[in-house]
Amino acid sequence: MTLLQRLWPSSLAGRLLLTIALALLVGQLLNAALMVRAQREQAMDRVAAEAAVRLIAATDRLEQGRPLRERNFGRMGRAPGFRFRRTDLAPGSPVTPDMRPIPELVARLNEILPTYGVPYRKIEAVAVKAPPRARRVERLAAQIGGRSDNQVRELALIALQRSDGQWLSVRVPVAEASGRIVATIIAQTVLLYLVMLVPLVWLTRRIARSMGALRDGVAQFEQTQQAQPIEPSGPSDLVDLTRSFNAMSARISAMLNEKDVMLGAIGHDLKTPLAALRVRVESVPDERQRSRMVASIDDITRTLDDILSLARIGRTGEVAEPVNLVALVEMIADEYRDLGQDVELADCERIVAPLQFTWIRRALRNVIGNAVRYGARARISIARQNRAVAITIDDDGPGIADDQIERMFEPFTRLEASRNMATGGTGLGLTLARAIAHQHGGALTLANRRAADGTVEGLRAVLTLPVG
Amino acid sequence: MTEAPHILLIDDEPSLREPLAEYLVGQGFAVTEAGDAARARSLMRDQRFSILLLDIMMPGEDGLSLCRHVAAQSEIPVILLTAKGEAMDRIIGLEIGADDYVVKPFDPRELVARIKTVLRRAARSPQALEDEVQGFEFDGWRLDTVKRRLIDPDGALVPISTAEFKLLLVFCEHAGHVLNRDQLLDLAHGREAHLFDRAIDNQISRLRKKVEADNRTPRLIKTVWGGGYTLAAKVRRLASTDTP
């Protein structure tokens, strides 16, 4: 799993919240970028204005024949930092190719200067790094002037070629984008998060709760197969979904009930003639013939019972009650021992689990019966594992080909060699046992037991059931 | 010799009703047949029957409804003939007033045995029926004789075989008495049982495994040297009003 997949929440509420938070963050970043840009434009306007004023003033002076710098300016001219704002007149351009040009400044000045009648041939604007002293001075100036948002790292150098070919240049400090804007954006984002996310969390949790109710209802239906309408809640989509589910579960439940009635009728209609036959068999004088007929009737009855049980599983209304599982296994082991079978049961502490007693008894009889029937003997052990109990039944039989094992759980599947009534069984035993295990929230698995050299020593069946 | 018990057999299916009636007559009963509940009701107005054999699933009024009517109106015992075999049926059947039930297809001999048991029980005085034991309680354990099951002191069902149940029942009924193997065999399985003495020892050891905390030093089912076994616990009889 990639990091992204791991960070991506799995629940609806989580995904919704994360998506909205991310979208909000992107929006705020865009907003911040726009604001920084606007501030930069503003700074450029200021630089352009100052440069224009000084260039116009210098041009005026030069035209009036006055010196570029006033003499009585002296003191101020010597003041620290003032020279960073100096205006120069030189025969060549001070701009060198390694300096970074600022085209937007050129564009602005090209707009301003002609309106004030300043003649020029060419104008160039570049950024130069401000000497450290300039920063200190600007900071001082900022404190004196009460402006706190200026941080000077760069100076703009604007050079203008006059009509006589000489270059007039001015240096103007460029204000940095202030850190305050970032703080503003962060504060804004946090505020937005609070304003939007709190109701969003509330809303998504409400939706999640409605969905949770629906999910629980579905799980409940899956378990009991009894339709219990879920109270629709939440947004209309969810209400519609809940209604549809209610209708569907009611329909399925009705179908299942119909099936039960039908099976009951089939059971009755087949068992009544069987009962008639069973009564008539009593008048057969030949003892051997009679016992064979009785055995056949018993076989038919057993198969019929297995089919009906499989169809009715989970719908008998038998409630789970605490059962001493170890005593139950012991009782079944004793039953097989009384029939002369080899059944071993390892000692085990008392384990009580909520079980549908007659069903689990049936599942265990089927699995243990298979072990003694096909595997010569059954060795049973019961072990508690956290919140479950595992009943392991080992036999010493030939095992089952690995690719055939899952097929053993399909109805009417039997190993070919044993497909006759002499070994008993209907081919429904394992199907029924697994269905019963699932009905209890447990599982039934089969696997070959192998010796160290890989030869099959027998089959192992494990029935797992939840405890409490 | 007293008059043969008169059975009213009610089943809508003649293919079963007729041979069954024949068989029961062969077993020494007097049998009257009815094809539905209405016919049965009219027959019961005119005659007295010893017992009803009643099919549950019948067109028109079903067997359960008729059974409820009979249980409310008279003392005639009812055995239900049912196609279903789930444990629920037993409870439902007994709650609506049936005395017993058999599952189709039943062994006719077993049906006869059940009929005889139910008739014997019905012959007892009403007072005896009133006092009939519903179960026993000993050392926190409960032996429910209606549902035929054993509940441990923590309320968990402890599955036991029919033989073990009968044996425990004998111990409860004779609490404090020492019973030898012959007596236990007789009381638990009847004289006709073809069981060896060893079988009793085996059942006792199985029973101990289930009820004793330590089956090496049994505290409840004690061995009496030279005598036999005894249930060494105070046993309380539970009447119908006591069972929860």
Side-chain angles (χ1 to χ4, degrees):
Chain A
M1 227 169 34
T2 66
L3 183 72
L4 199 70
Q5 277 170 325
R6 242 181 301 144
L7 288 179
W8 185 236
S10 61
S11 74
L12 175 71
R15 285 184 179 186
L16 211 58
L17 285 176
L18 188 63
T19 310
I20 289 169
L22 284 176
L24 210 58
L25 191 65
V26 170
Q28 282 299 91
L29 286 177
L30 277 174
N31 195 10
L34 286 175
M35 278 176 83
V36 165
R37 212 183 117 187
Q39 207 185 36
R40 195 181 141 79
E41 301 254 301
Q42 221 181 354
M44 274 304 145
D45 283 347
R46 224 182 287 146
V47 170
E50 185 180 338
V53 167
R54 283 169 52 198
L55 284 170
I56 292 163
T59 306
D60 284 354
R61 270 174 210 275
L62 289 173
E63 267 168 19
Q64 288 161 15
R66 286 195 289 160
L68 203 56
R69 267 171 278 191
E70 293 286 355
R71 185 150 291 167
N72 58 4
F73 225 67
R75 213 194 206 156
M76 236 178 133
R78 283 196 305 277
F82 195 77
R83 37 190 267 232
F84 300 116
R85 289 186 184 257
R86 72 187 186 205
T87 311
D88 290 311
L89 187 65
S93 169
V95 174
T96 54
D98 61 316
M99 292 170 176
R100 183 168 59 84
I102 314 177
E104 60 262 47
L105 203 51
V106 174
R108 280 181 174 73
L109 287 169
N110 273 337
E111 273 174 32
I112 302 168
L113 293 178
T115 56
Y116 289 92
V118 177
Y120 59 93
R121 283 191 194 162
K122 197 180 173 193
I123 194 158
E124 282 176 344
V126 290
V128 292
K129 210 168 152 18
R133 250 188 315 168
R135 303 184 196 176
R136 278 207 307 276
V137 168
E138 280 299 327
R139 201 158 57 231
L140 192 68
Q143 278 166 8
I144 294 164
R147 294 179 302 166
S148 60
D149 57 344
N150 284 7
Q151 257 266 305
V152 176
R153 289 219 182 87
E154 279 187 331
L155 298 177
L157 169 62
I158 298 110
L160 179 140
Q161 192 180 27
R162 290 166 50 80
S163 34
D164 60 2
Q166 279 195 308
W167 289 84
L168 184 62
S169 67
V170 292
R171 281 159 205 259
V172 181
V174 180
E176 277 297 297
S178 90
R180 216 168 58 171
I181 194 160
V182 179
T184 311
I185 294 282
I186 291 173
Q188 225 177 45
T189 310
V190 169
L191 200 69
L192 269 173
Y193 272 22
L194 286 178
V195 168
M196 287 186 64
L197 291 187
V198 168
L200 263 173
V201 167
W202 176 77
L203 183 69
T204 49
R205 289 183 71 121
R206 251 180 73 99
I207 294 174
R209 208 167 37 235
S210 306
M211 299 231 319
L214 185 59
R215 182 198 55 218
D216 291 347
V218 173
Q220 163 91 7
F221 179 63
E222 169 71 25
Q223 249 238 308
T224 62
Q225 302 182 352
Q226 296 291 339
Q228 273 178 349
I230 303 160
E231 189 62 43
S233 66
S236 64
D237 324 49
L238 219 50
V239 168
D240 288 347
L241 180 60
T242 309
R243 290 220 175 95
S244 305
F245 169 76
N246 283 344
M248 186 191 73
S249 62
R251 206 165 52 240
I252 291 176
S253 190
M255 256 162 59
L256 289 172
N257 284 334
E258 232 166 76
K259 184 194 77 177
D260 286 352
V261 170
M262 202 180 72
L263 284 170
I266 290 175
H268 180 261
D269 286 0
L270 287 176
K271 281 183 176 178
T272 300
L274 273 175
L277 200 57
R278 183 68 186 79
V279 174
R280 285 186 194 279
V281 161
E282 288 303 312
S283 59
V284 172
D286 183 341
E287 172 72 37
R288 252 180 79 240
Q289 287 295 335
R290 192 174 64 224
S291 67
R292 280 185 186 177
M293 288 165 137
V294 168
S296 292
I297 293 172
D298 287 349
D299 277 340
I300 299 171
T301 310
R302 205 161 40 233
T303 307
L304 194 59
D305 277 340
D306 278 354
I307 294 172
L308 293 178
S309 301
L310 196 59
R312 276 197 202 133
I313 205 160
R315 298 183 58 77
T316 53
E318 185 177 329
V319 287
E321 56 189 331
V323 176
N324 183 334
L325 191 59
V326 178
L328 173 59
V329 176
E330 222 160 61
M331 182 185 81
I332 295 166
D334 286 341
E335 285 171 8
Y336 282 103
R337 283 183 194 133
D338 288 347
L339 294 172
Q341 304 283 4
D342 184 357
V343 181
E344 269 175 49
L345 174 59
D347 279 339
C348 179
E349 282 176 35
R350 174 178 180 273
I351 296 174
V352 173
L355 303 173
Q356 294 181 357
F357 170 65
T358 51
W359 287 98
I360 288 295
R361 183 178 61 190
R362 188 163 195 163
L364 282 167
R365 275 180 181 158
N366 288 356
V367 178
I368 296 171
N370 275 356
V372 298
R373 193 177 298 133
Y374 304 113
R377 65 181 58 81
R379 274 188 306 280
I380 311 169
S381 61
I382 307 174
R384 182 134 192 191
Q385 316 170 323
N386 297 329
R387 300 176 61 80
V389 56
I391 304 159
T392 306
I393 298 124
D394 288 347
D395 70 31
D396 290 347
I400 299 170
D402 285 332
D403 58 339
Q404 294 288 306
I405 283 184
E406 272 310 301
R407 234 170 57 79
M408 296 309 294
F409 291 106
E410 289 167 17
F412 302 109
T413 305
R414 305 177 64 204
L415 284 179
E416 301 317 313
S418 65
R419 200 172 181 90
N420 60 68
M421 281 297 175
T423 46
T426 60
L428 282 169
L430 282 176
T431 315
L432 199 52
R434 177 175 262 190
I436 292 167
H438 286 172
Q439 173 66 23
H440 280 79
L444 174 64
T445 56
L446 288 180
N448 286 311
R449 267 184 327 110
R450 289 179 195 280
D453 63 352
T455 54
V456 174
E457 287 186 317
L459 197 66
R460 164 170 290 182
V462 182
L463 176 66
T464 337
L465 294 169
V467 181
Chain B
M1 196 185 151
T2 52
E3 208 179 317
H6 195 173
I7 298 173
L8 177 56
L9 172 58
I10 308 147
D11 193 312
D12 60 304
E13 196 57 57
S15 69
L16 171 62
R17 196 177 67 227
E18 283 160 12
L20 184 57
E22 219 171 281
Y23 178 83
L24 291 172
V25 168
Q27 295 293 314
F29 296 101
V31 181
T32 302
E33 296 173 44
D36 56 47
R39 173 98 183 104
R41 278 172 190 262
S42 80
L43 281 168
M44 277 189 289
R45 269 193 292 276
D46 304 336
Q47 304 177 45
R48 280 193 55 83
F49 294 98
S50 321
I51 188 167
L52 258 60
L53 293 187
L54 182 52
D55 182 28
I56 289 186
M57 246 195 227
M58 289 189 297
E61 184 185 1
D62 72 10
L64 292 180
S65 154
L66 181 62
C67 178
R68 219 173 275 129
H69 169 81
V70 171
Q73 301 292 315
S74 69
E75 300 285 314
I76 306 176
V78 178
I79 294 180
L80 292 174
L81 309 179
T82 159
K84 293 178 198 161
E86 264 107 43
M88 274 302 285
D89 296 344
R90 183 175 184 91
I91 297 154
I92 292 170
L94 296 177
E95 271 174 7
I96 62 155
D99 294 78
D100 205 347
Y101 78 108
V102 288
V103 180
K104 289 180 188 175
F106 44 84
D107 179 344
R109 284 175 241 203
E110 195 195 324
L111 176 63
V112 169
R114 300 261 181 119
I115 292 171
K116 285 180 176 164
T117 309
V118 170
L119 285 175
R120 250 200 317 276
R121 198 168 156 267
R124 283 187 244 156
S125 70
Q127 185 55 46
L129 285 177
E130 194 90 333
D131 293 344
E132 193 168 8
V133 173
Q134 304 280 312
F136 294 93
E137 206 176 65
F138 59 95
D139 200 44
W141 291 79
R142 211 168 69 240
L143 190 67
D144 183 335
T145 53
V146 177
K147 292 180 185 162
R148 304 178 80 81
R149 40 198 240 165
L150 177 65
I151 311 288
D152 76 8
D154 293 334
L157 174 66
V158 180
I160 53 174
S161 71
T162 313
E164 288 158 32
F165 175 84
K166 284 180 181 166
L167 198 60
L168 195 52
L169 186 61
V170 169
F171 276 126
C172 284
E173 283 167 341
H174 302 84
H177 294 272
V178 177
L179 300 164
N180 64 32
R181 291 190 184 88
D182 284 342
Q183 289 169 315
L184 284 171
L185 256 177
D186 268 6
L187 291 165
H189 304 290
R191 249 164 245 285
E192 63 268 41
H194 303 289
L195 282 168
F196 302 106
D197 291 2
R198 286 272 309 282
I200 285 288
D201 290 342
N202 200 8
Q203 282 167 10
I204 297 248
S205 101
R206 285 176 181 178
L207 211 47
R208 276 178 175 162
K209 243 186 188 170
K210 280 157 189 163
V211 300
E212 300 284 0
D214 175 8
N215 60 15
R216 277 169 223 273
T217 53
R219 213 166 48 78
L220 288 172
I221 303 173
K222 286 191 169 161
T223 309
V224 181
W225 293 114
Y229 301 98
T230 183
L231 178 62
K234 212 172 147 72
V235 175
R236 198 162 72 88
R237 279 165 187 268
L238 303 172
S240 54
T241 45
D242 295 337
T243 28

